[in-house]
Amino acid sequence: PSKRPQVVLQPIGVGEREALFEMAVRFWEELMPHAPVVQDPSIRPAYFDHEFRLGQPGHWAWWALAGENQRAGFAHLEMAEDWAGRSWATIKGFYVEPRWRRQGIGRALAIAIADHLRDSGVYRIDLHARSDTPAALAFWRAVGYDLASYRMRQYLG
């Protein structure tokens, strides 16, 4: 039987901003190649700081360490509370470097996140998956996520 890969979550510190920024750019280039942040490098730092908010309360970011403690990817979450004071999380970014894909690293990362959040008293995890990425939808379903809503959009110009 094949051994399941292990992933360790390591908090990303403010001092690791540049390393995360470089990986985030690769993430954006894959996820949204035509977006302004990919097309115009001058806006990347401001976009990164707005999205990741490293070191700010309610924003958690982890490296996914695999193999010999190598950075295989990252996960970025935003925390919130519902009306009853229960904690829940939204996965804002989830990325596995191409050389680590198809080895179970993404699955191990998703499970490690859920285990950590469950142990921290978080009761729910949300994420947005685009309808034009059937592989992503299949991945998230395979690790226990269900469709909870449809997000509709109309472009006005």
Side-chain angles (χ1 to χ4, degrees), residues 153-157:
R153 178 174 293 153
Q154 178 182 23
Y155 287 102
L156 301 175

Side-chain angles (χ1 to χ4, degrees), residues 103-129:
Q103 301 175 47
I105 300 298
R107 180 179 183 78
L109 175 56
I111 292 168
I113 290 168
D115 289 347
H116 177 77
L117 293 176
R118 186 180 303 104
D119 292 347
S120 300
V122 173
Y123 86 100
R124 183 181 98 203
I125 306 170
D126 289 349
L127 62 88
H128 296 282

Side-chain angles (χ1 to χ4, degrees), residues 61-129:
W62 295 291
W63 294 117
L65 301 181
E68 300 294 317
N69 287 326
Q70 296 176 50
R71 292 176 180 161
F74 70 82
H76 168 237
L77 287 76
E78 186 173 338
M79 305 303 298
E81 286 188 1
D82 69 9
W83 64 272
R86 298 178 300 175
S87 296
W88 59 281
T90 299
I91 296 177
K92 304 288 282 183
F94 184 96
Y95 179 72
V96 175
E97 292 276 18
R99 74 181 201 91
W100 290 99
R101 293 180 190 163
R102 311 296 306 163
Q103 301 175 47
I105 300 298
R107 180 179 183 78
L109 175 56
I111 292 168
I113 290 168
D115 289 347
H116 177 77
L117 293 176
R118 186 180 303 104
D119 292 347
S120 300
V122 173
Y123 86 100
R124 183 181 98 203
I125 306 170
D126 289 349
L127 62 88
H128 296 282

Side-chain angles (χ1 to χ4, degrees), residues 13-36:
V14 174
E16 297 173 289
R17 181 193 182 282
E18 281 309 308
L20 179 59
F21 179 84
E22 290 173 14
M23 194 178 288
V25 168
R26 292 190 294 277
F27 170 58
W28 299 330
E29 287 171 345
E30 281 188 46
L31 181 67
M32 47 191 191
H34 303 293

